[in-house]
Amino acid sequence: MLKKIKYVSGFLLLSLSFLFLNHPLFAQTDPETAARKLFDSGQYQEALPVFRDLIRLYPNDEDLNYYLGASLSETNQYTGEARRALDIAKKKIPESYFYLGKYFHVRSDWKNAILNYEKFKNAAGKKSVSASSVTKLLDLCRVRNNPFSRFVGQEDIPADTLAQKPETPVVTQVPPADIPDRLKDSLIHFQVNAVVSYMKLDHFRFKDSQEAFVRGWTIEQNLQKKLAELSSLRQKYGSLAGPAQDSLVDRILKLEQETYLMSQQSRDAYEEANQKEAGYWNQAGALEVQEFRKVIAAIQDSVQAATEERKRNLAVVELPVLVTDTVPATHVADVDEVQPLPAEEVVYKIQIGAYRNAPPEWVQGQFRKLAVIRRIDQRVDEKGVTVYTVGELKTYADAVQMQKQIRMEGIKNAFVAAYRNQKRIALEEAKKITEQ
């Protein structure tokens, strides 16, 4: 185990209440600190799901990625997930090179293994280097001895083997019957690596990868329904008191457990879908990559043209334009589908912050504490600012009550904001519309 001496605080967690109530360590402290304690005590398997959830919303945090990649490596999971995390972390944390060396060592990629081991020796502190087995591992690489080969599974074939014997793509042009109707012929956004992303199901090079994506997508759709139900129960919980409030606790905890497990299942399915596809494109020639990106660009241009045409048509008939948030990685878009909310639909949210870049570290600490008991939503406004809110209430009076509660929970500058058709409007205008 390699310990990082200094750790910069990570980011907010959507909801880990289930872990807090079922693990004695989490009952006394926040998830980030608890996960680090688990890591430092060698309980890597227990720390893994917490670091994964912390990274979920802010995937580029170097510190969190280091702990994720190191935890995976310490549990002999030398996967693409571990490599991606460590590639992000290495920009800041030199101990990442040690685990990257092991990632390549597992695959008998002697050149890259030695390169990363040497980078670790040169960049890390003396204590980290002396506490590691890097000298022994370098000696093993130089004589081409791989003691880790047993940790490479069928789904994680060495890159050089994949290059020599690539699997023949077997995806059919016609989606199989078991693909949900909503997903057939729809647009997706699935990031394979830094330069390649898919927008249609038939872009997948391998059938089992496509099936894994469909499985992850299906779980995610069910997860969104569960999260909506959970959000509704939390809002109801916040507006009640005494025995009426206590009666909702069991239902909320059960849903939190279900959504937590579903989130893991969905993430695992997408990771499975990514592994072979990333391996294929990492070995593809520059010309093939360039040609595929032209295909994607043509689709994007077509979508943009359809969107502009739709806006023009809506402007002619003076219909409200639906403003949407940033599209998630697995969002399915139907460019012909327009379902604007009713004109009178107004909701009140409690705004807890708005930042063009990442929130300051002390604010992130506040968000982490609040996220234990409340779901924090975020959206990017028309100026590129990320707005963080809690709750979605129908009346201004209920919103003011929640604002008071959130201020008591540590966010002293929380205030009520009104939205109509997902667009921010003035409070006075909202009160007139809702006749409050």
Side-chain angles (χ1 to χ4, degrees):
M1 174 184 71
L2 294 181
K3 294 185 180 179
K4 248 179 37 57
I5 304 302
K6 184 178 180 181
Y7 180 83
V8 179
S9 187
F11 296 95
L12 64 91
L13 185 62
L14 290 179
S15 175
L16 277 177
S17 300
F18 173 69
L19 283 179
F20 269 71
L21 294 170
N22 288 274
H23 196 295
L25 184 60
F26 284 80
Q28 303 297 324
T29 185
D30 66 272
E32 177 189 325
T33 301
R36 289 172 56 198
K37 288 181 178 179
L38 289 171
F39 180 91
D40 290 339
S41 64
Q43 299 180 67
Y44 309 111
Q45 196 65 52
E46 291 81 359
L48 263 174
V50 189
F51 287 128
R52 275 175 168 153
D53 277 320
L54 285 166
I55 287 173
R56 182 181 178 188
L57 202 57
Y58 294 90
N60 295 320
D61 182 78
E62 293 96 339
D63 300 277
L64 294 176
N65 274 285
Y66 169 76
Y67 279 111
L68 174 62
S71 296
L72 287 165
S73 301
E74 293 287 355
T75 53
N76 298 321
Q77 300 179 64
Y78 302 101
T79 61
E81 181 186 13
R83 180 182 176 180
R84 284 190 293 276
L86 294 166
D87 275 335
I88 293 172
K90 71 183 182 183
K91 303 169 186 176
K92 178 180 179 182
I93 304 164
E95 286 83 359
S96 304
Y97 288 114
F98 176 79
Y99 292 113
L100 281 170
K102 292 184 74 173
Y103 172 88
F104 291 110
H105 200 159
V106 165
R107 289 155 179 75
S108 299
D109 186 341
W110 315 114
K111 178 181 177 180
N112 282 311
I114 291 173
L115 178 65
N116 280 277
Y117 285 147
E118 291 288 359
K119 284 185 177 181
F120 165 68
K121 285 185 66 177
N122 294 331
K126 291 182 179 179
K127 288 185 178 180
S128 291
V129 174
S130 61
S132 73
S133 56
V134 66
T135 301
K136 179 181 177 181
L137 293 173
L138 274 169
D139 290 340
L140 291 175
C141 281
R142 290 179 179 121
V143 297
R144 302 202 168 199
N145 185 331
N146 182 357
F148 307 113
S149 57
R150 64 187 182 279
F151 299 129
V152 181
Q154 291 292 329
E155 76 289 351
D156 208 311
I157 303 171
D160 54 353
T161 303
L162 183 63
Q164 294 168 13
K165 298 179 180 180
E167 181 179 338
T168 302
V170 290
V171 170
T172 58
Q173 292 299 314
V174 180
D178 58 349
I179 294 179
D181 289 339
R182 185 184 166 196
L183 192 54
K184 293 177 182 178
D185 300 321
S186 296
L187 297 180
I188 64 174
H189 180 72
F190 184 69
Q191 196 70 37
V192 179
N193 60 21
V195 296
V196 173
S197 61
Y198 294 165
M199 295 191 70
K200 290 186 176 181
L201 281 181
D202 59 13
H203 289 162
F204 280 89
R205 266 40 190 175
F206 304 104
K207 184 176 181 180
D208 51 354
S209 299
Q210 184 195 72
E211 291 173 346
F213 172 84
V214 172
R215 186 168 67 254
W217 181 87
T218 303
I219 295 171
E220 190 176 46
Q221 304 315 299
N222 295 328
L223 172 62
Q224 295 306 316
K225 295 177 183 177
K226 293 279 187 181
L227 288 173
E229 182 182 356
L230 181 58
S231 177
S232 176
L233 286 177
R234 282 176 174 155
Q235 289 181 30
K236 189 175 181 180
Y237 177 88
S239 63
L240 299 175
Q245 193 179 56
D246 295 339
S247 66
L248 293 179
V249 172
D250 288 341
R251 292 172 62 191
I252 290 175
L253 291 179
K254 182 181 178 182
L255 270 176
E256 285 180 338
Q257 181 179 6
E258 291 177 1
T259 55
Y260 179 75
L261 294 175
M262 290 173 71
S263 176
Q264 283 188 305
Q265 292 169 350
S266 177
R267 180 175 52 241
D268 290 344
Y270 288 134
E271 172 69 20
E272 180 183 341
N274 177 267
Q275 284 180 351
K276 276 190 178 180
E277 300 299 315
Y280 178 90
W281 287 107
N282 289 342
Q283 298 298 319
L287 181 60
E288 183 179 3
V289 173
Q290 183 180 4
E291 290 302 316
F292 182 78
R293 293 187 69 181
K294 288 181 180 179
V295 172
I296 296 299
I299 296 174
Q300 291 172 335
D301 290 343
S302 177
V303 171
Q304 181 64 30
T307 301
E308 294 298 328
E309 179 66 22
R310 183 177 62 190
K311 287 181 179 179
R312 287 192 291 271
N313 293 337
L314 288 175
V316 170
V317 297
E318 296 183 349
L319 289 176
V321 177
L322 180 63
V323 180
T324 60
D325 292 345
T326 303
V327 179
T330 56
H331 179 74
V332 177
D334 184 347
V335 296
D336 297 322
E337 182 180 3
V338 181
Q339 295 180 330
L341 294 174
E344 69 278 4
E345 183 71 16
V346 172
V347 295
Y348 297 93
K349 302 181 181 184
I350 312 305
Q351 183 165 319
I352 59 174
Y355 302 92
R356 187 170 297 278
N357 300 311
E361 187 176 332
W362 65 271
V363 173
Q364 295 167 21
Q366 289 184 328
F367 284 5
R368 282 194 300 277
K369 292 177 181 178
L370 184 65
V372 173
I373 57 175
R374 300 187 185 277
R375 173 172 175 162
I376 299 177
D377 297 310
Q378 60 176 301
R379 67 184 297 273
V380 179
D381 67 14
E382 61 277 4
K383 297 180 180 179
V385 175
T386 302
V387 179
Y388 299 85
T389 60
V390 174
E392 193 165 293
L393 304 114
K394 297 296 184 183
T395 69
Y396 178 72
D398 288 343
V400 170
Q401 184 62 34
M402 178 174 280
Q403 176 196 30
K404 293 178 181 178
Q405 294 171 358
I406 291 174
R407 285 183 173 179
M408 288 189 294
E409 289 161 4
I411 311 296
K412 302 301 182 183
N413 59 345
F415 63 90
V416 178
Y419 288 82
R420 184 184 186 187
N421 293 343
Q422 300 187 35
K423 187 174 182 179
R424 178 84 176 271
I425 62 173
L427 279 177
E428 292 305 317
E429 180 184 353
K431 289 179 185 179
K432 289 180 181 178
I433 295 173
T434 56
E435 299 180 349
Q436 297 179 38

